[in-house]
Amino acid sequence: MSSYIKESQYFGEKAIVFGNSQLEAVLVPGLGSNLISLKSKSKNADLLRVPESKSQYEKNPCLYGMPILFPPNRIDRGMFTYGDLTYQFAINEEKHNNHLHGFLYDKPWELIKQEQNGESVRIVTEINSDDYTSITEQFPHSFSIKMTYTLDGSSLSTNATISNHGTTKFPWGLGYHTTFNLPFSADGALEDCTVSLPVDEHWTLSERKLPTGDIVKLTDAADFQQGISLSGKLFDDVYGYEKESELVNEAVITDHNEGIRIHYKCDKRFGHWVLFNGNGKDLSGFVCPEPYTWVTNAPNVELPDSVTGVRELKPGEEVNLISQLIVDTF
């Protein structure tokens, strides 16, 4: 069966449905270019958590699909200084007086290309900061981000291209709040599922969920790397790995009963992982292994940029960031 691309509607927004003989995905450019759905055809399983209604999605859009975070996670009081500029982001986590998850995940993106070739499909979306005063008021730079989604066989890869179109440098951090629907079947059990992360360090967080600057070596790093059960456990934790580590930078999400294993590979610039699976009140049937290029509140953490992941993009420069979901069935 060859690949295909179809236009559809998702909560009143134009959606792109694309697939091949193994996987089918739904991308909604108008909802932050969210890859809202990814299905395994052979298992008839939703791999990403999908909302049941528009109102459910709007309550917390970062808990469905694969939201794009720029910058990722929290900024203390929404404020930091870099070079000669002091940035003030909106406070959207009032409980902790933080800014949370950036300003792109809820903006409409433009669909600029869709093409197919055999079993392969490529979809490209883009957002330009100059089109949104709500972005430039917080982050006064001219930049664009282009997302290229490539579906090929049993893999879906993403290439994020960040381009600086302005006359000043800026700091940047990118991440994904990828929310997997675990277990992968409605009658599945969390006891049959494991998640592994390529980590050996744990960042200590304050009561406001901000790094204190203390980094602790994981005594159970081998367990995390081989796969842990989430049964009876709640996570909202920040992890990292030593830059000299030879670990493959991938999370592995496995439903042993359903026979599905997902390898979530990221390039080495995604040097931090957040593991989140609930709100402290219940276990909600999902898990978010979130790859970040910078750690939570990175510009305000008093550690070297090589540790926090803060990077800068000079005028005229661009950077490409690669990640990939590989779906194995057994």
Side-chain angles (χ1 to χ4, degrees):
M1 179 181 176
S2 62
S3 62
Y4 56 90
I5 303 173
K6 301 182 291 186
E7 289 191 5
S8 184
Q9 291 284 310
Y10 201 94
F11 301 150
E13 297 283 347
K14 178 181 177 180
I16 307 301
V17 180
F18 59 105
N20 57 24
S21 61
Q22 300 184 56
L23 301 173
E24 180 173 274
V26 180
L27 179 70
V28 189
L31 297 179
S33 191
N34 195 342
L35 187 84
I36 199 72
S37 172
L38 182 65
K39 292 184 177 182
S40 166
K41 289 187 172 181
S42 64
K43 295 292 185 176
N44 191 29
D46 284 306
L47 306 179
L48 298 178
R49 188 181 191 226
V50 295
E52 296 178 0
S53 65
K54 185 175 183 179
S55 61
Q56 185 186 61
Y57 178 80
E58 289 176 341
K59 284 182 181 179
N60 196 336
C62 285
L63 282 183
Y64 303 96
M66 190 176 175
I68 300 162
L69 311 181
F70 184 86
N73 217 290
R74 295 173 172 87
I75 299 293
D76 181 14
R77 296 166 294 125
M79 182 182 296
F80 67 91
T81 297
Y82 188 86
D84 297 329
L85 284 177
T86 296
Y87 299 83
Q88 179 63 67
F89 295 169
I91 303 300
N92 56 1
E93 190 190 40
E94 295 182 1
K95 176 182 178 182
H96 294 308
N97 193 30
N98 294 320
H99 172 82
L100 181 62
H101 290 331
F103 32 74
L104 299 187
Y105 69 85
D106 60 350
K107 300 291 188 300
W109 291 49
E110 183 182 358
L111 175 66
I112 62 173
K113 184 177 293 186
Q114 48 184 324
E115 58 188 18
Q116 60 191 100
N117 181 17
E119 280 277 285
S120 178
V121 177
R122 190 162 73 109
I123 310 292
V124 184
T125 61
E126 186 174 32
I127 191 168
N128 195 311
S129 66
D130 295 336
D131 294 334
Y132 296 95
T133 56
S134 59
I135 294 177
T136 55
E137 286 174 353
Q138 301 177 75
F139 195 70
H141 300 283
S142 178
F143 72 95
S144 65
I145 298 184
K146 183 183 296 182
M147 294 294 300
T148 302
Y149 303 86
T150 304
L151 182 66
D152 191 0
S154 63
S155 74
L156 176 75
S157 65
T158 61
N159 183 350
T161 303
I162 308 171
S163 302
N164 185 346
H165 304 296
T167 58
T168 58
K169 65 184 181 182
F170 60 74
W172 64 270
L174 182 83
Y176 301 109
H177 207 292
T178 312
T179 307
F180 292 98
N181 183 40
L182 201 68
F184 291 126
S185 63
D187 57 352
L190 205 55
E191 291 82 357
D192 297 321
C193 303
T194 57
V195 176
S196 74
L197 291 175
V199 297
D200 53 22
E201 300 173 337
H202 183 261
W203 289 71
T204 303
L205 302 181
S206 70
E207 293 182 354
R208 295 173 56 223
K209 302 294 184 180
L210 300 171
T212 64
D214 294 328
I215 306 173
V216 180
K217 294 295 293 183
L218 280 174
T219 58
D220 55 350
D223 293 334
F224 273 87
Q225 294 164 19
Q226 294 170 8
I228 60 170
S229 169
L230 300 181
S231 181
K233 303 172 185 176
L234 281 171
F235 288 93
D236 190 359
D237 294 80
V238 181
Y239 299 95
Y241 58 90
E242 291 185 354
K243 299 303 175 285
E244 295 77 16
S245 172
E246 296 182 357
L247 292 171
V248 176
N249 193 26
E250 68 172 15
V252 181
I253 304 94
T254 307
D255 186 328
H256 297 271
N257 182 61
E258 187 68 10
I260 299 175
R261 178 175 292 114
I262 301 176
H263 296 263
Y264 192 0
K265 295 177 177 285
C266 297
D267 71 47
K268 282 286 189 176
R269 283 166 296 186
F270 290 94
H272 310 273
W273 289 85
V274 167
L275 185 63
F276 176 70
N277 72 328
N279 60 10
K281 298 178 181 178
D282 56 19
L283 296 175
S284 305
F286 68 85
V287 63
C288 304
E290 307 169 37
Y292 293 171
T293 64
W294 82 16
V295 76
T296 302
N297 198 36
N300 292 316
V301 177
E302 295 183 0
L303 289 172
D305 291 350
S306 60
V307 177
T308 64
V310 173
R311 296 174 172 87
E312 72 175 27
L313 205 61
K314 295 181 174 62
E317 287 186 340
E318 70 177 30
V319 62
N320 294 293
L321 302 157
I322 307 295
S323 63
Q324 185 179 28
L325 297 175
I326 302 172
V327 182
D328 293 333
T329 57
F330 55 92

